[in-house]
Structure formats: structure tokens, C-alpha cells
Amino acid sequence: MTDIPTRYSPKDTEDKWYKTWEENSLFSAKADPAKKPFCIVIPPPNVTGILHMGHALNDTIQDILIRYHRMKGEESLWMPGTDHAGIATQNVVEKSIAKEGLKRQDLGREKFIEKVWEWKEQYGSTIIRQLKKIGASCDWQRERFTMDEEYSKSVVEVFTRLYEKGLIYKGSYIINWCPRCQTALADEEAPHHDLQGNLYYLRYPIKGQSPKHNSEGNLSGADPYIVVATTRPETMLGDTAVAVNPKDKRYKKLIGETLILPLANRQIKVIADSMVDMKFGTGAVKVTPAHDPNDYALGKKHNLEFINVMRPDGFMNKNAGDYNGMDRFEAREVILEDLKEKGLLEKIEPHGLSAGHCYRCHTIIEPYLSEQWFVKMKPLAKPAIEAVKKGRIKFHPKRWTKVYLNWMENIQDWCISRQIWWGHRIPVYYCKDCQKKCQSPSGRYPVKDSVIVSKIRPEKCPKCGSSDIYQDEDVLDTWFSSWLWPFATFYWPDKPRSENELKYFYPTSALVTAPEIIFFWVARMIMAGFEFMGDIPFKDVYIHGTVRDIEGKKMSKSLGNIIDPLDIINEYGADALRFSLISITAQGQDVFLSQERFEQGRNFANKIWNASRFVLINLDHSKVNTDLCVFFKKEDLDIVNRWILSRFYSTLKEAGKKLDLYKFNEAANLLYGFFWHEFCDWYLEIIKPDINKTHNQVVMYKVLEKFLRILHPFMPFISEELWHKLDENKGSIMLEPWPHLQEPLIDKKTELKMDSVFEAITAIRMMRSELKIQPQNKINAEIFVKSKSRKELISSMLPLITGMSKLQGLSLKEDYAPLKTQYVKILRDMTIVIPLSGIVDVDKLKKDKEEEIKKVESDIKAKKNILSNENFVKRAPGEIVEKEELKLEELKKTLTELKGIRDGLK
RNA sequence: GGGCGCAUGGCUCAGCUGGUUAGAGCGCCACACUCACAUUGUGGAGAUCAUAGGUUCGAAUCCUAUUGCGCCCACCA
């Protein structure tokens, strides 16, 4: 009959079509003034990345948008690429060389970077290959990498521009320090997590109030001291003051007193500052300016000494005295022991706290005083806030606007230096000779005087001519390169190369991303857009939900709850993966995923496959070449064909609207419902007996053909495969236009008429089922129609109703008179009667009718109540009141009929 | 401490600007394979729309409070 298999096999089509698309450069876009541009830049995945469900969702959404707009005739560019992901990649390569027993320091900076590049060449395109598996139609010829030579030029350009503008500065501040990665982290890179810790109460003796010693020489509880509370006792070695609130009566007379810092045996002062919360702990707080941001501020204000007691690796340093060389947590234990021994540990209380964790290795970060580079953010934030407030950039869903604005309005300066090797090295050079000249006796020198910021390595110092120059050791935060993504990917600032394209594609159209990186990336791109391009980088930001497992937990390797998209593609196909993901992703809601979800997508693909198979088996190609318009003009199509066309165009219209509103799931579900339940379940079943009729041939072919086109953005592979099965001479479906909306063919009247017909068929099927009449048992039925117009309709549809409900015969009768041994169903505008052959349990039917009567009676009562409410009649709109009145009339009629039927059942 | 989101049939979710009978998928029950598809078809059961107030002629829908779950932000030592 046909050589099309009864099951769709994704494996036979997906790779084949992807290859064809790629080989024919169907994804490539170029500035074409004759067309409207549509552009999305991909959120560049980490080179170390492997595709997870989050990517699958993110990239499916983008691919749908790109394919949709491409079909709508827009020049659609999906700009792809990867991110060098400084810390993440460095960690991965460090792990890999650790297998050979090597550390990065063993190799040295240059050799290590070489290793990273080698690693990148070998494994860096994994995720790109995987993106291709899901069907991503990126313009791969444009693929960029944030460490490319050209891209690096953009980064350096931006750094120097900002420096010259005075927006980049170097300074000593308390930053988030990861002792494992041994680098500074931006605030966003050190998310806080709750921990169960303790609040330790320490006693600091007051000098000059001669402590009374016990026999062992230790302090007793009665001695004069101040009690401070801390969660990190090991930092006490760096204390340079104890602060109290000036209003605090308990401590008023102690202000200005000197304390003996235990274990360190240093003298520190009691200072007063209103920042101190009297209600917390004891109201007295130890001040460690080198290890806590608040204390740092206090230290600056009160001119305190900054004593750093920790090494970059999280071990105590020589300032820690006896504790030098201990790990910070080990030191904590030992210090507590020692204090306890000396009677200086008053008590320990359990205390919940939250501490920053390294977003890469999850080590608890250490607030750490160090010299870092920062970007002043307030001036950059200003236009970026305006743009969103004025609606030039819109978030979808809207609520993220607030989150964005809240962060932007409280923005802090951005720490951009990282003490790692893999990344864009800071384009800052220092002149050693200049440094010597302005060095202070303490060994410090003002940074400004020896700094040379330069796009290329300078030969000699522009100030003194010295060639004794070295480059800053640090590299830039990865986001300092990705925030340029929407224009640096076009080779900005290389004018000859970028100008034309940027003019065309920038601002890009939409950005699709997850909520986690609104601050990291989205906000910063907006700022960079204004600063360097003078305009927004994109118009719409679509924020999709997070993919979680069925219990709502994030998918993660450690939890072992990962569903691998590649496994799903293997088992169900990429189209199934895409469709299932999309159909359950309500706008902005998190996605709760289980393996079974993908069956829906697979089943849908299979349904489409088989319906197409059915059409192909029955298709007479010579008939379908007729232009559909011929029928439109003559308006001589029968109602069934008019109905399916109306339904198709309604679906097209609605799905288009949903896509424009970023409501992908609703669009997907519209297609699903239309195809399965209207085209297959009703239309194809109805035309089956007359499938060779020209009208049916043309319409079934056209609807299927157009449906494949609107399906294509969602399920690109199967739609392409079937497209060619329908007509092997055609080019790729990718290049086909999105179907033109034939508004006049949307005909709600026809749809309502067909609904009546379907209602009749369903009712008869239900009656058969209730009466347990076997399908092979061909019975007769009668139908009574109330209104005149319906009478005509039903009369013309009798054969269809008879066939679809597997009746022997169905006769249209004028007036209904209750008879014995009948089974009756009352519908909105008709009544259906099946004569009983006496096998059935009449009492049961009677009972059922009694219940129906009760139901209708109570409905009538409710309606009457509503209508007797004066306020309702007065205030509700007239049409609503009329509707209610009409409904009541109908109910009354139905009641009369039902009673008649019940009485007939004797 | 602030902010946000979510609570709708056994499960996962739709339900736009308040208006007849609250939808879908999965699961469940019954029936049906000469018929494109059993990854199928037909029919069915199953929901006091978290709780308590309020606005309204009318609330799953709007407002307030409460409870439970989840997330984000924050310099509580």
C-alpha cells in the first residue's frame, strides 16, 4: 500500500535534515535592507558545558522564535557562540592536569594557558554539537568565542574607554574571596546560603582594672571584661577595636578604655559608633577591619589598623601568631579551646547565619581585604534604568521588571579583577621606575602614578621612558566580556567590519534567558549597550522558568535527578523533546519535569506521522494542484470543508498571537488540539468515506501542508520530513512562508453548526455506550430538532451523523411524543431517541431520568433566584440578563420533556 | 529583615481584561484491533478552585489577612 512505516522514527530523519540545512547554509543571515531584521544573540553556554534541560528549554524557545520570524519573511539571525567561563574552565583544566600530578603553578602561566586552549580545541565544541542535535538553527558561520582575538579587542577597548572616563578604579576593599579558587568574586558570584552556626561570646579583659587571677593565673568570671559576640572567632586575631553604641548605657563609661585582646595580647580601644545594634548579642562588637565589610567601614571611619590574619588560601598567616599555618576552621576550634582554657569563652549559642558561597566550587567565601579593580556602576545604571521604566525594554513576564529595577537602583560597584589565569588579562601595565619614585616609606605607593592603561603592551613608560614595565597579573571577570555580547559578536569596534551589520541587526530583537542571570548578564548588557552603542541591546527580554525535577528540586548532578536531553532525543526524538518541553512551560513558571512527559511529544509526532501517512495513501496528486482559491471564490465548499478551514485559520491566527506574546505553551497546545482532535478525530474520520472527492482531496492536502508549516518552528525535523513526503520536488520547509491568514475563511457560524452535529454524534455514541450496545449492533435512532435552521442542517447531515455514530438508520422526526421503551437524550437544540429492544434495565433508566429531573429542577430554582434579584436585573448588562432568561426558558422546556420521557418509561 | 511566585479533579498544569455547564495531558474504569495510527479510537468516573473576610447583581478570577510550599535579594557582628 505504501512504503511509509507506521511509526515515526526520528533517528532516520533528524541528522539527515540537519546536515542538509547546514550544508545549504539555510541558517545564515546577512544585512538585507529589503527585509525586516530579527535577531537573537544566544546566551553563550560555557565552553565546559554539556547540554542540560535548561539549555534545551532555552534554546528551543529561541529556535522557535527564529524559525517563526524567518518564515514570516524577516531576515533572522541567531548569533551563536560560547563563553570562556574563566573560573569554571580553569577549574576543569586544573582537574585534568591534576591527574598527571600537576598544579597550574608547576606549568607556569603561559604553559597553563596553552593547556586550556588545547582543552578548548578538544572539548570546547561539545555543547555546540549538542545544540545541533536539538535542531538549533544558529548561523554557525558566525560562531564566536569570548576569548577570540577579535573579541578580546572589544574587551580591551571597553576597559580603556571606561578607565579614561574615570569609571574604572583600583582600590583596597573587602571583597568576596574564595580560598579554594583563590580569587576575588563579584557579589553576584557569592550567593548567600543559610548555615547552622554558633554565636560565640568572648571576654575581652579591660586594661588597668587589674584582673583578679585564680591560682592557675587565669581569669575568673568575676573579672572585669567586655563580652563580644561573634560567628567567626578566628578573626579575633585581627581585631583592632571593640565598638559599642554611644547611646548604650551599659557601656557608656567604657568608651575610650583600652582592652587586652586575648591570645594576641594586643591593646585595642573601645570605640563608639551608632552603627552598632544594641539589641544584638551583647551590644558590643569586635571590629576586624580586614575581614568584614562592616568592620572595614568602621575601620576607615575611626582610623583603625587593618590587620590581615589570613593567607589567600584560607590558612592563617604570620599575623595570627601561634595559629600561623592553620586552616581557618581548624584555627577556630583551637582558638576556642584556648579561650575556654583561659576562662575567656563565656558561652556558645546556636545561631543561624547565612554566608556567601563560591558559585563555582561552593566553598564558603571569606570577606577579605585586597586590592582589586572596580567599575563605578551608578553612572552606567542610569540610562539602563530609564530604558526599562519607559518600556523601551520589556520583560516577559512583567514581574521581572521590578526585580531588575530594584537591583539596579541599589547597584554596587563591580569588582572585575580575578586572580586566575584563564581570561582577558587586565590591560594595565606598571612602570617600576615610577613606582620607586613615589614609593612611601611603608612600601606603599599610589597606584595612579605608575599605571599605564593601554590597548597594546607599551614599549616604555610614557612618563619616564623606562622600559622596566610589567602587566597586571589579574584577569577580568568573565562577565566583563559577556556583557558586550550583543555587539562584540559583530566585531565591534572594528568599524569596517561591524558598522553595516550593527546598523542592521542592533538593537537585537529579543533575549531569551533564565532568571538566574538577570543581574550577571541581562542588566550589564543593557548598561554596556547604552555606554558603548548608545542604545538598548534588545527590545524584549523573555525570562523562562527553571527546569526542575518532578518534586520541584533543581536538577543537579549531586542530587542525581538529571534528565539528560540527549537521552531523551535518543529515546523519543528531538521534536518530542522540544514539543513536550514547550507545551508544559507556562510563561515564566518553573518546569517540573519527568521522563513520561516526553511521551506526549513522541505520541504527537507519531500522530502527525500517521495522519500524513493516511493523507498520502489516499492522495491523488493530480487533484490537489488546484489552487485552493478557486473554491474560496465559488464558496461552493461543503460545510465540513468550510469548517476545517475555519478551524485551521482560527488556529493559525491564535497561535500567531500567542507566539507574538511569548506564550509558547499556549501556541503549542493550540496546534496540538487542532491537529489531533479536530483534523484527525473529526475531519479525517468524516471525509474517509468520500476521500476521493476533489473538495476533500484539496482541503485535506492544503490543511495538512499549511499545518506542517506552522508546526515547523516547534517540530522542525518531522515537519521537514513530511513536507518532502507530500511533495518531493519542494525545497526546505524552512524557507516556506508562514501561512497567510485568510480571515474571511474564519467562519464562526459554520463552526457553531458543526458543533451541533458533533454534539449529536457524541450523544448517540454515549447513549450506545450507556445501553451497552455493541458497535457491530446496527440500530436505528430518531432525532427531533427544535429550530428551523437546525432542522435544515441536521437533515443534510443525516448520513454523516449516521455513519459517525455507527447507526443503521437515523430519521428526522417532526414532533416528539413520549413513547414506551425509548431511551432519550435532550440536547441544546435537539432530542435524540433510541427505541429499546427490551433487553435493557428500564428501572435503571427511569432512575437516571429522575436524577436528571432533579438536577434541572435545582438549576431552574437557581436561575429563578438570580432573575428575581432586583439588583441583578437592574445592574447587570442587558445581554447577560437576556441570556439568563433564555436559559431559564430552555430549562423549563427541558424539564417538561424530561418528565414526559420519565412517564413514557413505563 | 525586604521582595517575588505558587496553592484548581489521583498527578502535572491551563484558565487573558470578573458573566451560561471550570479545560487539557497523564493516570483510572468500560468498550473497540479487516479500517492511517494500540505511541490508537470511543465513552465514562473524578474538582466545596488552600482558609477566612471584603468589593460586586455576580468571584477560581479583583482586594485584605492567614496558612503551607518554593525562589530571589540583604553589610544581623
Side-chain angles (χ1 to χ4, degrees):
Chain A
M1 185 159 57
T2 171
D3 55 351
I4 305 172
T6 59
R7 282 196 186 180
Y8 172 56
S9 164
K11 285 192 177 119
D12 299 339
T13 62
E14 294 182 351
D15 291 343
K16 173 183 79 181
W17 285 118
Y18 201 90
K19 210 173 144 221
T20 311
W21 296 332
E22 230 186 338
E23 280 171 0
N24 291 289
S25 301
L26 298 189
F27 306 149
S28 83
K30 52 175 178 293
D32 177 357
K35 289 162 98 182
K36 207 176 137 192
F38 183 84
C39 178
I40 296 178
V41 291
I42 201 168
N46 291 353
V47 268
T48 54
I50 49 163
L51 194 82
H52 55 65
M53 273 303 167
H55 293 121
L57 174 63
N58 178 252
D59 292 304
T60 297
I61 290 170
Q62 291 174 76
D63 197 44
I64 289 171
L65 281 171
I66 285 285
R67 287 179 186 269
Y68 169 57
H69 285 272
R70 197 183 278 130
M71 292 176 85
K72 291 215 327 185
E74 294 163 37
E75 188 66 19
S76 299
L77 167 60
W78 189 6
M79 175 74 80
T82 48
D83 191 296
H84 70 279
I87 299 173
T89 310
Q90 175 158 322
N91 285 351
V92 167
V93 177
E94 279 183 316
K95 255 183 214 159
S96 112
I97 61 170
K99 282 179 201 147
E100 305 158 38
L102 291 171
K103 286 186 173 172
R104 72 175 206 257
Q105 289 81 358
D106 299 333
L107 293 172
R109 187 162 187 152
E110 240 168 80
K111 273 259 154 30
F112 179 76
I113 300 277
E114 255 173 54
K115 276 270 177 209
V116 181
W117 278 107
E118 271 171 37
W119 186 94
K120 194 252 170 188
E121 289 317 313
Q122 204 175 344
Y123 304 105
S125 55
T126 305
I127 192 142
I128 298 296
R129 275 201 317 278
Q130 293 172 328
L131 281 175
K132 293 180 180 181
K133 291 292 274 186
I134 66 167
S137 63
C138 300
D139 188 351
W140 296 112
Q141 282 140 12
R142 293 176 183 261
E143 187 186 331
R144 303 300 310 276
F145 178 50
T146 51
M147 279 289 280
D148 279 349
E149 203 186 328
E150 299 284 339
Y151 200 100
S152 302
K153 281 186 188 162
S154 312
V155 174
V156 169
E157 174 78 22
V158 158
F159 188 96
T160 48
R161 280 198 196 187
L162 290 176
Y163 184 81
E164 277 156 24
K165 240 185 144 175
L167 291 178
I168 283 186
Y169 64 94
K170 191 178 194 183
S172 264
Y173 293 96
I174 298 276
I175 43 79
N176 304 298
W177 184 266
C178 173
R180 203 216 63 85
C181 301
Q182 295 203 34
T183 178
L185 296 170
D187 293 341
E188 296 71 41
E189 291 172 323
H192 282 64
H193 298 298
D194 288 340
L195 293 174
Q196 191 46 54
N198 292 313
L199 199 53
Y200 303 93
Y201 289 78
L202 316 181
R203 295 168 174 168
Y204 287 8
I206 302 165
K207 193 194 170 193
Q209 298 197 9
S210 57
K212 295 169 202 134
H213 294 92
N214 63 16
S215 51
E216 276 90 45
N218 290 337
L219 276 168
S220 75
D223 292 319
Y225 49 75
I226 276 187
V227 179
V228 295
T230 179
T231 53
R232 292 187 298 150
E234 67 280 10
T235 63
M236 66 154 298
L237 299 169
D239 286 2
T240 52
V242 165
V244 297
N245 194 300
K247 287 184 195 152
D248 197 330
K249 283 177 191 146
R250 291 172 293 175
Y251 299 112
K252 213 157 196 170
K253 53 179 189 278
L254 288 175
I255 296 167
E257 289 288 338
T258 303
L259 306 173
I260 308 291
L261 183 65
L263 307 180
N265 282 318
R266 274 189 288 110
Q267 302 197 349
I268 58 173
K269 290 270 186 207
V270 178
I271 59 167
D273 197 288
S274 56
M275 246 178 80
V276 179
D277 180 357
M278 296 194 288
K279 279 176 260 151
F280 191 87
T282 60
V285 56
K286 62 193 262 319
V287 183
T288 325
H291 287 277
D292 182 274
N294 284 319
D295 294 7
Y296 176 81
L298 278 177
K300 279 269 171 194
K301 196 170 159 192
H302 296 269
N303 250 324
L304 301 174
E305 211 186 326
F306 293 72
I307 301 176
N308 189 338
V309 295
M310 239 176 256
R311 299 195 318 230
D313 60 0
F315 285 66
M316 308 308 283
N317 66 18
K318 59 182 190 308
N319 291 334
D322 294 347
Y323 307 94
N324 184 8
M326 284 184 195
D327 171 79
R328 52 184 170 152
F329 298 117
E330 187 194 347
R332 176 179 297 178
E333 296 311 315
V334 178
I335 284 168
L336 287 169
E337 274 306 308
D338 292 351
L339 286 171
K340 195 174 170 190
E341 210 170 278
K342 291 183 190 300
L344 296 173
L345 178 60
E346 178 151 307
K347 58 175 173 174
I348 302 176
E349 279 177 354
H351 181 69
L353 65 141
S354 88
H357 289 67
C358 174
Y359 81 128
R360 278 297 154 208
C361 68
H362 311 295
T363 303
I364 297 179
I365 63 110
E366 196 61 36
Y368 195 68
L369 182 67
S370 65
E371 209 162 68
Q372 304 288 344
W373 289 94
F374 294 86
V375 180
K376 278 187 198 158
M377 298 307 275
K378 283 246 153 41
L380 296 178
K382 222 179 147 200
I385 291 169
E386 283 303 297
V388 169
K389 274 191 177 163
K390 284 191 182 141
R392 289 201 60 214
I393 297 175
K394 288 195 182 74
F395 281 87
H396 306 266
K398 268 214 300 276
R399 64 186 147 91
W400 294 107
T401 313
K402 251 184 159 173
V403 177
Y404 167 88
L405 288 175
N406 186 44
W407 187 76
M408 289 291 272
E409 278 160 1
N410 297 295
I411 198 160
Q412 303 293 313
D413 284 357
W414 177 14
C415 172
I416 53 168
S417 43
R418 296 288 179 277
Q419 289 66 43
I420 55 172
W421 288 349
W422 176 241
H424 301 278
R425 195 147 168 193
I426 293 184
V428 168
Y429 305 83
Y430 304 93
C431 168
K432 276 198 177 162
D433 285 331
C434 286
Q435 276 176 10
K436 276 176 209 153
K437 271 179 232 160
C438 48
Q439 201 161 14
S440 73
S442 69
R444 299 180 66 84
Y445 53 87
V447 169
K448 264 184 249 158
D449 297 337
S450 77
V451 163
I452 310 157
V453 174
S454 171
K455 286 178 210 170
I456 46 161
R457 190 190 174 85
E459 292 285 318
K460 41 185 153 177
C461 173
K463 272 188 209 136
C464 70
S466 163
S467 55
D468 197 0
I469 282 170
Y470 68 96
Q471 187 174 5
D472 198 302
E473 291 296 316
D474 292 354
V475 301
L476 290 161
D477 178 6
T478 299
W479 299 102
F480 194 84
S481 52
S482 18
W483 74 326
L484 315 175
W485 192 247
F487 50 90
T489 43
F490 290 95
Y491 298 99
W492 179 92
D494 178 350
K495 265 205 171 174
R497 214 168 165 185
S498 68
E499 196 174 24
N500 199 28
E501 293 228 304
L502 275 173
K503 213 170 167 184
Y504 186 71
F505 286 116
Y506 191 96
T508 65
S509 314
L511 183 81
V512 178
T513 193
E516 298 97 85
I517 56 177
I518 292 179
F519 307 138
F520 276 118
W521 195 48
V522 181
R524 288 175 183 155
M525 276 193 290
I526 298 174
M527 292 187 270
F530 275 105
E531 183 63 20
F532 305 108
M533 300 299 297
D535 202 355
I536 54 170
F538 30 71
K539 299 173 195 109
D540 288 315
V541 180
Y542 176 77
I543 305 281
H544 59 248
T546 307
V547 180
R548 299 172 182 284
D549 72 3
I550 204 69
E551 281 162 16
K553 296 200 186 85
K554 263 192 184 175
M555 288 198 181
S556 76
K557 266 184 214 158
S558 53
L559 285 174
N561 59 352
I562 288 196
I563 301 176
D564 185 344
L566 295 170
D567 290 346
I568 300 299
I569 290 176
N570 228 347
E571 195 172 339
Y572 301 100
D575 286 331
L577 169 79
R578 292 169 62 118
F579 192 85
S580 289
L581 266 181
I582 288 304
S583 70
I584 57 171
T585 306
Q587 199 186 36
Q589 287 305 121
D590 286 354
V591 184
F592 289 57
L593 211 55
S594 68
Q595 177 102 6
E596 297 80 64
R597 281 288 179 187
F598 297 102
E599 286 174 14
Q600 191 195 353
R602 176 200 59 186
N603 294 355
F604 187 41
N606 200 56
K607 188 72 183 179
I608 298 163
W609 182 260
N610 275 292
S612 305
R613 181 172 182 267
F614 172 77
V615 169
L616 281 163
I617 291 167
N618 294 291
L619 194 66
D620 179 348
H621 274 275
S622 69
K623 283 180 180 160
V624 299
N625 289 326
T626 326
D627 193 347
L628 191 54
C629 294
V630 174
F631 295 109
F632 303 161
K633 281 172 199 151
K634 289 180 184 163
E635 287 188 344
D636 64 356
L637 277 178
D638 59 52
I639 183 168
V640 172
N641 283 308
R642 286 208 312 274
W643 169 76
I644 195 68
L645 284 168
S646 176
R647 288 305 308 140
F648 171 79
Y649 283 110
S650 293
T651 307
L652 172 68
K653 186 179 175 182
E654 293 306 315
K657 272 191 202 164
K658 299 296 184 193
L659 281 177
D660 293 334
L661 292 170
Y662 299 96
K663 299 195 172 178
F664 302 101
N665 65 320
E666 293 180 33
N669 292 332
L670 280 171
L671 298 196
Y672 183 94
F674 166 75
F675 192 82
W676 201 310
H677 299 305
E678 298 183 313
F679 187 68
C680 292
D681 289 351
W682 283 117
Y683 180 72
L684 290 182
E685 291 304 324
I686 289 172
I687 65 165
K688 232 174 219 179
D690 292 316
I691 196 139
N692 293 319
K693 252 174 70 185
T694 309
H695 288 186
N696 293 340
Q697 286 276 313
V698 176
V699 174
M700 82 174 178
Y701 177 82
K702 294 287 179 187
V703 170
L704 177 62
E705 173 265 325
K706 286 171 199 294
F707 176 78
L708 289 177
R709 283 194 262 156
I710 60 175
L711 179 73
H712 181 256
F714 299 86
M715 304 179 103
F717 296 109
I718 192 173
S719 54
E720 181 78 290
E721 176 72 15
L722 290 170
W723 183 253
H724 293 274
K725 287 227 176 335
L726 278 188
D727 187 344
E728 53 195 16
N729 300 317
K730 276 186 173 160
S732 170
I733 193 170
M734 268 188 67
L735 303 174
E736 287 292 321
W738 186 254
H740 176 65
L741 178 60
Q742 305 272 5
E743 194 88 43
L745 289 184
I746 298 177
D747 177 0
K748 292 294 164 198
K749 269 191 187 158
T750 298
E751 290 188 17
L752 283 174
K753 281 184 185 168
M754 283 305 287
D755 285 346
S756 280
V757 175
F758 298 150
E759 201 184 3
I761 295 167
T762 306
I764 297 168
R765 284 172 177 169
M766 193 173 112
M767 290 163 86
R768 296 184 58 124
S769 170
E770 279 169 349
L771 295 171
K772 301 206 187 321
I773 298 167
Q774 294 292 306
Q776 56 272 28
N777 186 359
K778 305 275 182 197
I779 54 159
N780 290 301
E782 293 169 345
I783 188 163
F784 298 84
V785 184
K786 288 161 198 170
S787 79
K788 220 181 191 178
S789 61
R790 282 289 178 269
K791 212 169 269 177
E792 260 169 56
L793 170 75
I794 297 298
S795 143
S796 70
M797 298 306 259
L798 278 179
L800 188 140
I801 299 171
T802 311
M804 293 293 285
S805 47
K806 299 217 161 72
L807 290 173
Q808 173 80 15
L810 176 68
S811 39
L812 184 62
K813 291 282 170 69
E814 281 302 318
D815 296 303
Y816 171 67
L819 289 170
K820 275 185 188 178
T821 59
Q822 280 179 337
Y823 190 52
V824 184
K825 202 124 239 167
I826 299 170
L827 305 178
R828 245 184 329 196
D829 30 39
M830 55 201 134
T831 301
I832 293 165
V833 178
I834 292 181
L836 297 180
S837 42
I839 322 156
V840 200
D841 183 352
V842 179
D843 284 344
K844 165 95 173 39
L845 294 179
K846 208 171 162 186
K847 223 170 123 194
D848 289 349
K849 284 300 157 209
E850 287 294 356
E851 279 192 9
E852 276 183 59
I853 288 168
K854 260 189 217 154
K855 174 82 176 56
V856 173
E857 276 171 344
S858 88
D859 285 353
I860 288 175
K861 211 174 149 192
K863 282 282 170 266
K864 276 185 176 165
N865 264 340
I866 294 171
L867 283 165
S868 63
N869 183 336
E870 259 179 59
N871 279 326
F872 173 76
V873 182
K874 241 192 299 183
R875 300 196 197 186
E879 51 176 318
I880 300 286
V881 180
E882 263 172 50
K883 261 188 198 172
E884 291 296 319
E885 278 167 349
L886 222 98
K887 179 76 193 170
L888 179 62
E889 284 314 301
E890 272 172 29
L891 281 170
K892 279 181 182 166
K893 249 189 238 166
T894 307
L895 185 66
T896 318
E897 284 183 6
L898 276 174
K899 282 185 176 160
I901 293 164
R902 177 198 57 194
D903 297 342
L905 279 170
K906 271 175 190 163

